[in-house]
Amino acid sequence: MWICHKGAHLLFGVDEEARCLFGCWPVATGRNSGQKRKVGDMRTPEGLFPVQGVHDASYWQPYRDKKTGDTVGYGPWFIRLKTPPWSGIGIHGTDEGHLSEIGTDASHGCIRMKNEDLLRIKKVVRPGQKVLIVP
C-alpha cells in the first residue's frame, strides 16, 4: 500500500502484511490545496485509489501546459491511478527543471517525485495496489 500525505509532501510505502513502513520519499503535489473539484484545478485528489497500470513514459515528450505555460515532463515511468471521475492522475518523475519543486505544492494534480525515487518504487508497485491520498 502507498500513502501520500499532501501536507507533508511525502509518499510512504507500507507493507500491510508485516505492518511496517518500508520507505518514504519526498514528492510534489497539486499547486492548489484541497480536494480536486474540476479538471484543470491543479489539485491532487484525496481518497483511496487503486493503481491502474505502470506505463513506460521514457519516450513521452514534454509538453507545454496551456494554462501555465510550463513545460512538463513525466520522467521514465507513469504509475496511473484510477481516480474517478478524474483521469490522467498518477505518480511520475520529473525533469531537471522541476527538481527544486519536489517537497512543495507544484504539480498539476499528480504526485511528482525524483526519477531515482520513482525507479525505486517502480520495482515494487503493482496494478491493484491501493494508494491513499490524504490532506
Side-chain angles (χ1 to χ4, degrees), residues 64-87:
R64 184 174 284 305
D65 183 85
K66 294 175 188 172
K67 191 172 187 176
T68 65
D70 291 345
T71 299
V72 180
Y74 291 102
W77 295 94
F78 186 84
I79 300 166
R80 186 175 306 280
L81 304 179
K82 189 171 185 176
T83 58
W86 320 111
S87 62

Side-chain angles (χ1 to χ4, degrees), residues 9 39 51 57 60 127:
H9 299 101
V39 173
V51 172
W60 294 6

Side-chain angles (χ1 to χ4, degrees), residues 31-92:
R31 282 188 191 180
N32 296 316
S33 62
Q35 177 64 293
K36 188 161 190 65
R37 296 183 196 132
K38 63 181 182 175
V39 173
D41 68 5
M42 297 192 182
R43 289 181 171 91
T44 302
E46 298 165 3
L48 184 63
F49 308 108
V51 172
Q52 190 170 14
V54 181
H55 307 282
D56 180 355
S58 61
Y59 63 91
W60 294 6
Q61 297 298 313
Y63 72 93
R64 184 174 284 305
D65 183 85
K66 294 175 188 172
K67 191 172 187 176
T68 65
D70 291 345
T71 299
V72 180
Y74 291 102
W77 295 94
F78 186 84
I79 300 166
R80 186 175 306 280
L81 304 179
K82 189 171 185 176
T83 58
W86 320 111
S87 62
I89 302 292
I91 302 169
H92 63 79

